């Protein structure tokens, strides 16, 4: 039988539409940026589109062609966002480099990507110099600043404002295949070299539609969104696209992410919504508690990238009136894949039960498929108890890595997330652990996340991390590392007594080590890899 195609317009799903829509229909909605010195600058979607078009002109004048990689190395700000759209909208590929990685890694990544042009924050001039030296494909360096703020460097470079100044902003946007590459973001793999996730226009477009849903980020024209998630972390969780698409006011906080700086910005700009990793929220909470301050406008936050402890969720909701929605995903999943917004059934249950659900990673976004399998690849039931490897499939999920032939999909097209989880009968997924972080004791699994979540409920504990250490009889045993809350002293016996009775006896950590600071990795999550290195020579108490 002949196929019958629909008679609807084949208009390409490309991301230029988001900023075009924002500029045309929400043109005077503000975009607020804060520099490192605290200076606030303001533009709006109309202004940002003009700047982004000038960037496109300047890129074309520099010989950048569709498919070429253009790198950015900087914090969240309007120039960075103009560079973002200026690049993607002419079919070039925006490669967001993470400045918090080690310089060797950044150079390796930029060389692997074959970046031709770099737009860098002036405070990162030393890193830029390193890239100029070590990345053979790099031809042009632009600093994201005005001419008077140019850093002193020994290589040819130009200030962003000067670079775009002479251009009228007339470059043509869009008009290409929606499957073309749009963005490139490397994940810092735990073993081997970092891997490049290459988003397409289509995947980012579809991801934005998912992110905008009420049970996801739910951004509307009436919201003011503070983008705490760095632009270099997995598409900025989609907010760079969702905000102009919805016409939300956007606040870009720059480099300062401490509790006080974020609080000031939230209050000054009337922020209603934000998204970030748990450690950022923990910092903000400590600031609120220390100063006795409260929020006057913030009403909803998405916390993801790592598991927010239930105590953190309760504190935001109960003490500060801010609804918490947890999100789970990874660079390879664009990233949002599950969210913990309550279902009607959950809302009908007790508040404790609602918190228990919020502390789970949540339910799947429309258009995606899950599979839960044991080590032999057999499907496991969705009973909330069977724990296995989590596989995922869909139009916003990676099908491979850039310049890497290793197959990553199984025969049915599923991608292995590397996370170990359960899924319950209501569809709530809960991560037990990253496969590599799980503590394997006597052949059984101990969830580091669960112990950390409980420990963080102790008032003297700011951050908690569980790692496995070698044990002659049990292979591995968990130890708990604790960073005390400011002005508090945590005590081993006291922390253990706090955990006692809340977890199985054999899950109890064999030691509690109080440390000055738990190291955070390049995206603000607890760096377990580094912790394992630091505790490599550690011996359990007799
Ligand atoms: P990345 O690609 O760097 O964002 O890291 C993705 C990984 O972070 C996932 O595979 C999970 O292990 C972890 N992750 C992300 N969101 C959550 C969450 N809500 N709870 C627990 N782990 C998470």
């Amino acid at each position: 039988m002949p196929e019958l195609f629909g008679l609807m317009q084949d208009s390409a799903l490309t991301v230029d539409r988001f900023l075009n829509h924002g500029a045309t229909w929400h043109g005077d909605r503000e975009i607020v940026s804060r520099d490192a010195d605290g200076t606030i600058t303001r533009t709006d979607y109309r202004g940002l589109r003009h700047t982004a078009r000038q960037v496109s002109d300047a890129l074309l004048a520099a010989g950048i062609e569709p498919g070429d990689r253009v790198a950015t190395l900087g914090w969240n700000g309007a120039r960075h966002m103009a560079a973002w759209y200026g690049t993607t909208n002419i079919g070039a590929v925006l490669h967001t480099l993470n400045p918090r990685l080690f310089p060797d890694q950044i150079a390796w990544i930029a060389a692997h990507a074959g970046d031709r042009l770099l737009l860098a924050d002036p405070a990162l001039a030393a890193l830029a110099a390193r890239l100029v030296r070590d990345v053979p494909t790099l031809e042009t360096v632009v600093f994201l600043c005005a001419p008077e703020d140019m850093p002193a460097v020994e290589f040819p470079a130009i200030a962003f404002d000067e670079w775009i100044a002479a251009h009228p902003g007339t470059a043509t946007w869009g008009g290409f295949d929606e499957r073309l590459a749009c963005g490139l973001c490397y994940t810092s793999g735990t073993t081997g070299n970092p891997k490049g996730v290459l988003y397409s226009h289509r995947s980012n477009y579809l991801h934005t539609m998912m992110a905008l849903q009420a049970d996801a980020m739910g951004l509307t024209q009436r919201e003011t969104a503070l983008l705490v998630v760095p632009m270099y972390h997995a598409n900025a969780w989609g907010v760079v696209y969702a905000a102009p698409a919805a016409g939300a006011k956007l606040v870009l906080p720059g480099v300062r992410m401490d509790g006080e700086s974020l609080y000031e910005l939230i209050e000054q700009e009337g922020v209603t919504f934000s998204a970030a990793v748990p450690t950022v929220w923990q910092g903000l909470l400590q600031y609120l508690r220390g100063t006795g301050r409260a929020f006057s406008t913030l009403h909803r936050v998405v916390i993801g990238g790592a598991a927010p402890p239930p105590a953190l969720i309760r504190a935001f909701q109960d003490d500060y009136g801010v609804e918490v929605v947890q999100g789970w995903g990874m660079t390879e999943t664009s990233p949002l894949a599950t969210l913990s917004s309550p279902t009607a059934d959950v809302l009908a249950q007790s508040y404790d039960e609602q918190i228990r659900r919020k502390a789970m990673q949540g339910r799947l976004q429309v258009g995606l498929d899950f599979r839960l399998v044991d080590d032999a690849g057999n499907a496991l039931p969705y009973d909330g108890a069977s724990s296995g490897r989590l596989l995922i499939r869909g139009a916003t999920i990676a099908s491979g890595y850039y310049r890497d032939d290793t197959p990553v999909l199984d025969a049915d097209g599923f991608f292995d997330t590397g996370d170990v989880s359960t899924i319950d009968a209501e569809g709530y997924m809960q991560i037990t652990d990253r496969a590599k972080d799980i503590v394997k004791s006597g052949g059984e699994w101990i969830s580091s996340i669960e112990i950390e979540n409980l420990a963080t409920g102790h008032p003297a504990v700011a951050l908690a991390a569980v790692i496995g250490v070698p044990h002659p009889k049990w292979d591995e045993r968990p130890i708990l590392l604790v960073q005390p809350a400011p002005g508090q002293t945590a005590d081993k016996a006291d922390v253990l007594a706090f955990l006692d009775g809340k977890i199985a006896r054999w899950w109890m950590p064999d030691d509690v080590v109080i440390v000055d600071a738990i190291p955070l990795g390049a995206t603000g999550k607890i760096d377990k890899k580094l912790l394992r290195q630091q505790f490599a020579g550690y011996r359990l108490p007799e």
Side-chain angles (χ1 to χ4, degrees), residues 410-448:
D410 71 11
D412 295 323
F414 280 87
F415 174 86
D416 188 338
T417 64
D419 284 331
V420 175
S421 81
T422 59
I423 300 176
D424 69 17
E426 287 79 40
Y428 278 85
M429 188 272 285
Q430 179 160 35
I431 304 267
T432 317
D433 242 323
R434 197 78 199 128
K436 64 183 184 305
D437 290 341
I438 230 163
V439 182
K440 297 192 182 90
S441 179
E444 299 283 348
W445 288 358
I446 297 176
S447 159
S448 65

Short mmCIF file of all heavy atoms in Angstrom, two decimals, residues 410-448:
data_model
loop_
_atom_site.label_atom_id
_atom_site.label_comp_id
_atom_site.label_asym_id
_atom_site.label_seq_id
_atom_site.Cartn_x
_atom_site.Cartn_y
_atom_site.Cartn_z
N ASP A 410 22.34 -0.50 22.36
CA ASP A 410 22.13 -1.94 22.23
C ASP A 410 21.29 -2.22 20.98
O ASP A 410 20.93 -1.30 20.23
CB ASP A 410 21.53 -2.53 23.51
CG ASP A 410 20.08 -2.13 23.74
OD1 ASP A 410 19.45 -1.56 22.81
OD2 ASP A 410 19.56 -2.39 24.84
N ALA A 411 20.96 -3.49 20.77
CA ALA A 411 20.28 -3.88 19.53
C ALA A 411 18.94 -3.18 19.37
O ALA A 411 18.47 -2.98 18.24
CB ALA A 411 20.10 -5.40 19.51
N ASP A 412 18.33 -2.78 20.48
CA ASP A 412 17.03 -2.10 20.41
C ASP A 412 17.15 -0.59 20.45
O ASP A 412 16.14 0.11 20.61
CB ASP A 412 16.13 -2.56 21.56
CG ASP A 412 15.79 -4.04 21.44
OD1 ASP A 412 15.61 -4.51 20.30
OD2 ASP A 412 15.74 -4.72 22.48
N GLY A 413 18.37 -0.09 20.36
CA GLY A 413 18.56 1.36 20.33
C GLY A 413 18.61 2.02 21.69
O GLY A 413 18.48 3.24 21.80
N PHE A 414 18.78 1.24 22.76
CA PHE A 414 18.85 1.83 24.10
C PHE A 414 20.28 2.21 24.47
O PHE A 414 21.23 1.49 24.15
CB PHE A 414 18.29 0.86 25.15
CG PHE A 414 16.80 0.84 25.22
CD1 PHE A 414 16.06 0.01 24.39
CD2 PHE A 414 16.13 1.67 26.11
CE1 PHE A 414 14.68 0.00 24.45
CE2 PHE A 414 14.74 1.67 26.18
CZ PHE A 414 14.02 0.83 25.34
N PHE A 415 20.39 3.32 25.20
CA PHE A 415 21.67 3.83 25.68
C PHE A 415 21.81 3.46 27.16
O PHE A 415 20.88 3.65 27.94
CB PHE A 415 21.68 5.36 25.51
CG PHE A 415 22.87 6.04 26.09
CD1 PHE A 415 24.06 6.17 25.36
CD2 PHE A 415 22.84 6.56 27.39
CE1 PHE A 415 25.16 6.80 25.91
CE2 PHE A 415 23.94 7.19 27.94
CZ PHE A 415 25.10 7.31 27.19
N ASP A 416 22.96 2.92 27.54
CA ASP A 416 23.20 2.53 28.93
C ASP A 416 23.66 3.76 29.72
O ASP A 416 24.71 4.33 29.44
CB ASP A 416 24.27 1.44 28.98
CG ASP A 416 24.42 0.86 30.38
OD1 ASP A 416 24.03 1.53 31.37
OD2 ASP A 416 24.93 -0.27 30.50
N THR A 417 22.85 4.18 30.71
CA THR A 417 23.15 5.43 31.42
C THR A 417 24.32 5.29 32.39
O THR A 417 24.86 6.29 32.85
CB THR A 417 21.93 5.89 32.25
OG1 THR A 417 21.68 4.91 33.26
CG2 THR A 417 20.71 6.06 31.38
N GLY A 418 24.66 4.05 32.75
CA GLY A 418 25.70 3.88 33.78
C GLY A 418 25.15 4.12 35.18
O GLY A 418 25.89 4.07 36.16
N ASP A 419 23.86 4.36 35.28
CA ASP A 419 23.24 4.52 36.60
C ASP A 419 22.54 3.22 36.98
O ASP A 419 22.03 2.50 36.12
CB ASP A 419 22.21 5.66 36.58
CG ASP A 419 22.86 7.03 36.60
OD1 ASP A 419 23.97 7.15 37.16
OD2 ASP A 419 22.28 7.97 36.06
N VAL A 420 22.53 2.96 38.28
CA VAL A 420 21.82 1.80 38.81
C VAL A 420 20.59 2.33 39.52
O VAL A 420 20.69 3.26 40.32
CB VAL A 420 22.72 1.02 39.79
CG1 VAL A 420 21.95 -0.12 40.44
CG2 VAL A 420 23.95 0.50 39.06
N SER A 421 19.42 1.75 39.19
CA SER A 421 18.21 2.34 39.76
C SER A 421 17.11 1.32 39.95
O SER A 421 17.21 0.17 39.53
CB SER A 421 17.71 3.47 38.85
OG SER A 421 16.99 2.93 37.77
N THR A 422 16.03 1.78 40.58
CA THR A 422 14.78 1.03 40.64
C THR A 422 13.72 1.89 39.94
O THR A 422 13.90 3.10 39.78
CB THR A 422 14.32 0.81 42.10
OG1 THR A 422 14.17 2.09 42.71
CG2 THR A 422 15.32 -0.01 42.89
N ILE A 423 12.63 1.25 39.52
CA ILE A 423 11.46 1.99 39.03
C ILE A 423 10.26 1.36 39.72
O ILE A 423 10.15 0.13 39.75
CB ILE A 423 11.32 1.87 37.49
CG1 ILE A 423 12.58 2.42 36.80
CG2 ILE A 423 10.07 2.60 37.01
CD1 ILE A 423 12.58 2.25 35.28
N ASP A 424 9.38 2.18 40.29
CA ASP A 424 8.26 1.57 41.01
C ASP A 424 7.01 1.51 40.12
O ASP A 424 7.02 1.98 38.97
CB ASP A 424 8.01 2.25 42.36
CG ASP A 424 7.48 3.66 42.23
OD1 ASP A 424 6.99 4.03 41.14
OD2 ASP A 424 7.54 4.40 43.24
N ALA A 425 5.96 0.95 40.68
CA ALA A 425 4.74 0.70 39.89
C ALA A 425 4.12 2.00 39.39
O ALA A 425 3.40 2.01 38.40
CB ALA A 425 3.74 -0.09 40.73
N GLU A 426 4.39 3.12 40.07
CA GLU A 426 3.85 4.41 39.63
C GLU A 426 4.78 5.12 38.66
O GLU A 426 4.53 6.27 38.28
CB GLU A 426 3.61 5.33 40.84
CG GLU A 426 2.40 4.93 41.70
CD GLU A 426 2.72 3.77 42.62
OE1 GLU A 426 3.84 3.75 43.17
OE2 GLU A 426 1.88 2.87 42.76
N GLY A 427 5.87 4.45 38.31
CA GLY A 427 6.78 5.03 37.32
C GLY A 427 7.86 5.92 37.91
O GLY A 427 8.59 6.59 37.18
N TYR A 428 7.97 5.98 39.23
CA TYR A 428 9.02 6.80 39.85
C TYR A 428 10.35 6.04 39.81
O TYR A 428 10.46 4.94 40.34
CB TYR A 428 8.68 7.14 41.30
CG TYR A 428 7.74 8.32 41.42
CD1 TYR A 428 6.36 8.12 41.33
CD2 TYR A 428 8.22 9.61 41.59
CE1 TYR A 428 5.49 9.20 41.42
CE2 TYR A 428 7.36 10.69 41.69
CZ TYR A 428 5.99 10.48 41.60
OH TYR A 428 5.13 11.53 41.69
N MET A 429 11.32 6.65 39.18
CA MET A 429 12.65 6.07 39.10
C MET A 429 13.47 6.60 40.27
O MET A 429 13.35 7.77 40.63
CB MET A 429 13.28 6.48 37.76
CG MET A 429 14.59 5.82 37.43
SD MET A 429 15.99 6.72 38.07
CE MET A 429 16.08 8.10 36.93
N GLN A 430 14.26 5.71 40.85
CA GLN A 430 15.15 6.15 41.92
C GLN A 430 16.55 5.61 41.67
O GLN A 430 16.75 4.40 41.53
CB GLN A 430 14.64 5.65 43.28
CG GLN A 430 15.57 6.08 44.41
CD GLN A 430 14.90 6.06 45.77
OE1 GLN A 430 14.06 5.19 46.04
NE2 GLN A 430 15.26 7.00 46.62
N ILE A 431 17.49 6.53 41.63
CA ILE A 431 18.88 6.11 41.43
C ILE A 431 19.41 5.54 42.73
O ILE A 431 19.34 6.19 43.78
CB ILE A 431 19.76 7.33 41.04
CG1 ILE A 431 19.22 8.03 39.81
CG2 ILE A 431 21.21 6.91 40.89
CD1 ILE A 431 19.78 7.59 38.51
N THR A 432 19.93 4.32 42.66
CA THR A 432 20.59 3.74 43.82
C THR A 432 22.00 4.31 43.89
O THR A 432 22.51 4.65 44.94
CB THR A 432 20.69 2.21 43.65
OG1 THR A 432 19.45 1.74 43.14
CG2 THR A 432 21.00 1.53 44.94
N ASP A 433 22.61 4.39 42.74
CA ASP A 433 23.99 4.88 42.65
C ASP A 433 24.40 4.99 41.21
O ASP A 433 23.79 4.40 40.34
CB ASP A 433 24.96 3.91 43.34
CG ASP A 433 25.66 4.57 44.50
OD1 ASP A 433 25.97 5.76 44.38
OD2 ASP A 433 25.89 3.89 45.51
N ARG A 434 25.46 5.75 41.00
CA ARG A 434 26.21 5.65 39.78
C ARG A 434 26.84 4.26 39.85
O ARG A 434 27.34 3.88 40.92
CB ARG A 434 27.25 6.76 39.84
CG ARG A 434 27.93 7.16 38.59
CD ARG A 434 27.12 8.04 37.68
NE ARG A 434 27.77 7.92 36.36
CZ ARG A 434 27.14 7.64 35.26
NH1 ARG A 434 25.84 7.47 35.24
NH2 ARG A 434 27.79 7.53 34.13
N ALA A 435 26.85 3.49 38.78
CA ALA A 435 27.36 2.11 38.85
C ALA A 435 28.75 2.07 39.51
O ALA A 435 29.04 1.20 40.31
CB ALA A 435 27.40 1.51 37.46
N LYS A 436 29.56 3.07 39.22
CA LYS A 436 30.93 3.03 39.74
C LYS A 436 31.03 3.49 41.20
O LYS A 436 32.03 3.29 41.85
CB LYS A 436 31.84 3.89 38.87
CG LYS A 436 31.44 5.33 38.93
CD LYS A 436 32.26 6.20 38.03
CE LYS A 436 31.86 7.66 38.22
NZ LYS A 436 30.45 7.97 38.06
N ASP A 437 30.00 4.13 41.72
CA ASP A 437 30.04 4.65 43.09
C ASP A 437 29.45 3.68 44.11
O ASP A 437 29.61 3.86 45.32
CB ASP A 437 29.25 5.97 43.20
CG ASP A 437 29.94 7.11 42.48
OD1 ASP A 437 31.15 6.97 42.22
OD2 ASP A 437 29.27 8.11 42.17
N ILE A 438 28.76 2.67 43.62
CA ILE A 438 28.10 1.75 44.53
C ILE A 438 29.16 1.04 45.39
O ILE A 438 30.26 0.76 44.90
CB ILE A 438 27.26 0.75 43.70
CG1 ILE A 438 25.88 0.68 44.25
CG2 ILE A 438 27.91 -0.59 43.59
CD1 ILE A 438 24.89 0.07 43.32
N VAL A 439 28.83 0.81 46.64
CA VAL A 439 29.77 0.11 47.53
C VAL A 439 29.36 -1.36 47.54
O VAL A 439 28.21 -1.69 47.85
CB VAL A 439 29.73 0.70 48.96
CG1 VAL A 439 30.75 -0.01 49.84
CG2 VAL A 439 29.98 2.21 48.91
N LYS A 440 30.28 -2.23 47.16
CA LYS A 440 29.95 -3.65 47.07
C LYS A 440 30.54 -4.37 48.27
O LYS A 440 31.74 -4.57 48.36
CB LYS A 440 30.47 -4.24 45.76
CG LYS A 440 29.82 -3.60 44.55
CD LYS A 440 30.10 -4.37 43.27
CE LYS A 440 29.47 -3.64 42.09
NZ LYS A 440 30.35 -2.67 41.46
N SER A 441 29.68 -4.74 49.19
CA SER A 441 30.13 -5.32 50.44
C SER A 441 29.60 -6.74 50.55
O SER A 441 28.39 -6.95 50.57
CB SER A 441 29.60 -4.46 51.60
OG SER A 441 30.00 -5.00 52.82
N GLY A 442 30.51 -7.72 50.59
CA GLY A 442 30.09 -9.12 50.70
C GLY A 442 29.14 -9.52 49.59
O GLY A 442 28.20 -10.27 49.82
N GLY A 443 29.36 -8.99 48.39
CA GLY A 443 28.53 -9.37 47.24
C GLY A 443 27.21 -8.62 47.18
O GLY A 443 26.45 -8.74 46.23
N GLU A 444 26.90 -7.82 48.21
CA GLU A 444 25.65 -7.04 48.21
C GLU A 444 25.97 -5.57 47.94
O GLU A 444 27.09 -5.12 48.19
CB GLU A 444 24.96 -7.17 49.57
CG GLU A 444 24.57 -8.58 49.95
CD GLU A 444 23.33 -9.07 49.24
OE1 GLU A 444 22.64 -8.24 48.62
OE2 GLU A 444 23.07 -10.28 49.28
N TRP A 445 24.95 -4.83 47.49
CA TRP A 445 25.16 -3.43 47.17
C TRP A 445 24.71 -2.51 48.29
O TRP A 445 23.62 -2.67 48.84
CB TRP A 445 24.36 -3.06 45.91
CG TRP A 445 24.92 -3.64 44.66
CD1 TRP A 445 26.05 -4.39 44.54
CD2 TRP A 445 24.37 -3.52 43.35
NE1 TRP A 445 26.24 -4.74 43.24
CE2 TRP A 445 25.23 -4.22 42.47
CE3 TRP A 445 23.25 -2.87 42.83
CZ2 TRP A 445 24.99 -4.30 41.10
CZ3 TRP A 445 23.02 -2.95 41.46
CH2 TRP A 445 23.88 -3.65 40.62
N ILE A 446 25.54 -1.52 48.54
CA ILE A 446 25.16 -0.47 49.50
C ILE A 446 25.07 0.83 48.71
O ILE A 446 25.99 1.19 47.99
CB ILE A 446 26.21 -0.34 50.63
CG1 ILE A 446 26.27 -1.65 51.43
CG2 ILE A 446 25.89 0.84 51.53
CD1 ILE A 446 27.34 -1.65 52.50
N SER A 447 23.96 1.54 48.86
CA SER A 447 23.75 2.78 48.11
C SER A 447 24.42 3.95 48.83
O SER A 447 24.02 4.32 49.94
CB SER A 447 22.25 3.03 47.96
OG SER A 447 22.02 4.40 47.69
N SER A 448 25.43 4.51 48.20
CA SER A 448 26.11 5.66 48.83
C SER A 448 25.14 6.83 48.94
O SER A 448 25.15 7.57 49.93
CB SER A 448 27.36 6.04 48.04
OG SER A 448 27.04 6.50 46.74
#
